[in-house]
Amino acid sequence: KQEVTQIPAALSVPEGENLVLNCSFTDSAIYNLQWFRQDPGKGLTSLLLIQSSQREQTSGRLNASLDKSSGRSTLYIAASQPGDSATYLCAGGSYNTDKLIFGTGTRLQVFP
Amino acid sequence: EPEVTQTPSHQVTQMGQEVILRCVPISNHLYFYWYRQILGQKVEFLVSFYNNEISEKSEIFDDQFSVERPDGSNFTLKIRSTKLEDSAMYFCASNRGVNYEQYFGPGTRLTVT
């Protein structure tokens, strides 16, 4: 049974810092890993999807990596801005299943 | 850019009442999902739907829940007799196929009193 955990649970950094959010999963039969952003009381905005055949994906200041052998994915945010403040969720999809299994999220605050 | 929409944004209902949550998935998507998030907890999968039938469901999705695609655009989640513990944010999602990127709607906050 796939379980997804995220560390740290919360992070507070000054504007301009580069930072890394971590996501760990237990089942190496992961097919893809999707990162989301969630603002308070809002829906989930998809940021990046990494397929198991890929090692990383980039979108603007975001870079996500996937290492199936170690059961880890990281989301790297370059030059953080106050507008990046939100909760970041990772979710894993496995072979032969439709569902995503979500982590508990990392709540990020970037202060000016 | 196409997006998933959900109505209503907030629904308040009394325990034991039936509720229907509505979603309009992205038009060329074939797979549809419902997830829920109880306040302060993880997002949890409820059900997936493809080709007019349920393709997968979780233990949460018991006989009190049902899904339907009544026409070519809407996708609904019905809870027959709501319980206090059904209070949560319910998210609809869709994608082009299994293991493709899932796109989520803004959610419906359901409050059962």
Side-chain angles (χ1 to χ4, degrees):
Chain A
K1 181 182 172 185
Q2 180 73 275
E3 290 188 9
V4 180
T5 55
Q6 292 186 247
I7 294 172
L11 187 60
S12 183
V13 300
E15 182 177 7
E17 270 204 14
N18 301 323
L19 51 98
V20 175
L21 307 182
N22 295 295
C23 173
S24 299
F25 47 90
T26 54
D27 186 357
S28 61
I30 195 164
Y31 189 85
N32 58 28
L33 198 293
Q34 196 166 347
W35 281 93
F36 295 88
R37 169 187 173 134
Q38 184 176 31
D39 292 285
K42 302 293 185 183
L44 307 177
T45 300
S46 179
L47 298 174
L48 289 164
L49 172 74
I50 315 175
Q51 301 287 1
S52 60
S53 56
Q54 302 170 314
R55 290 192 64 83
E56 62 178 61
Q57 279 277 40
T58 298
S59 176
R61 294 183 294 109
L62 305 179
N63 176 278
S65 66
L66 176 63
D67 184 344
K68 289 180 60 177
S69 62
S70 67
R72 292 182 60 187
S73 176
T74 59
L75 180 67
Y76 175 82
I77 303 177
S80 57
Q81 303 170 357
D84 295 331
S85 298
T87 296
Y88 290 80
L89 303 172
C90 67
S94 299
Y95 288 92
N96 300 319
T97 178
D98 304 354
K99 64 187 177 188
L100 290 176
I101 304 296
F102 280 81
T104 45
T106 293
R107 191 172 64 255
L108 172 67
Q109 182 181 12
V110 181
F111 54 90
Chain B
E1 185 172 325
E3 58 184 20
V4 177
T5 60
Q6 291 185 243
T7 55
S9 57
H10 191 190
Q11 173 99 41
V12 181
T13 189
Q14 289 189 329
M15 196 166 52
Q17 295 296 305
E18 174 183 287
V19 294
I20 298 176
L21 310 183
R22 291 181 167 80
C23 168
V24 179
I26 294 173
S27 62
N28 63 347
H29 285 183
L30 301 175
Y31 287 77
F32 316 116
Y33 308 84
W34 284 101
Y35 292 81
R36 78 173 186 189
Q37 185 178 34
I38 295 171
L39 189 63
Q41 297 186 21
K42 290 185 179 185
V43 176
E44 303 172 287
F45 168 80
L46 292 178
V47 66
S48 57
F49 192 86
Y50 168 71
N51 200 26
N52 283 320
E53 61 183 28
I54 291 173
S55 53
E56 190 172 355
K57 61 183 180 180
S58 73
E59 295 166 354
I60 303 167
F61 194 89
D62 61 22
D63 292 344
Q64 293 301 309
F65 291 87
S66 63
V67 289
E68 191 179 30
R69 188 153 164 83
D71 53 44
S73 60
N74 290 283
F75 180 50
T76 62
L77 174 69
K78 181 193 291 186
I79 309 175
R80 288 189 183 79
S81 178
T82 50
K83 306 181 185 69
L84 293 176
E85 54 265 37
D86 294 327
S87 295
M89 182 76 94
Y90 288 79
F91 294 109
C92 174
S94 69
N95 63 0
R96 292 189 291 155
V98 176
N99 298 135
Y100 279 74
E101 187 171 4
Q102 291 189 22
Y103 293 87
F104 281 68
T108 293
R109 180 170 298 285
L110 176 65
T111 302
V112 182
T113 62

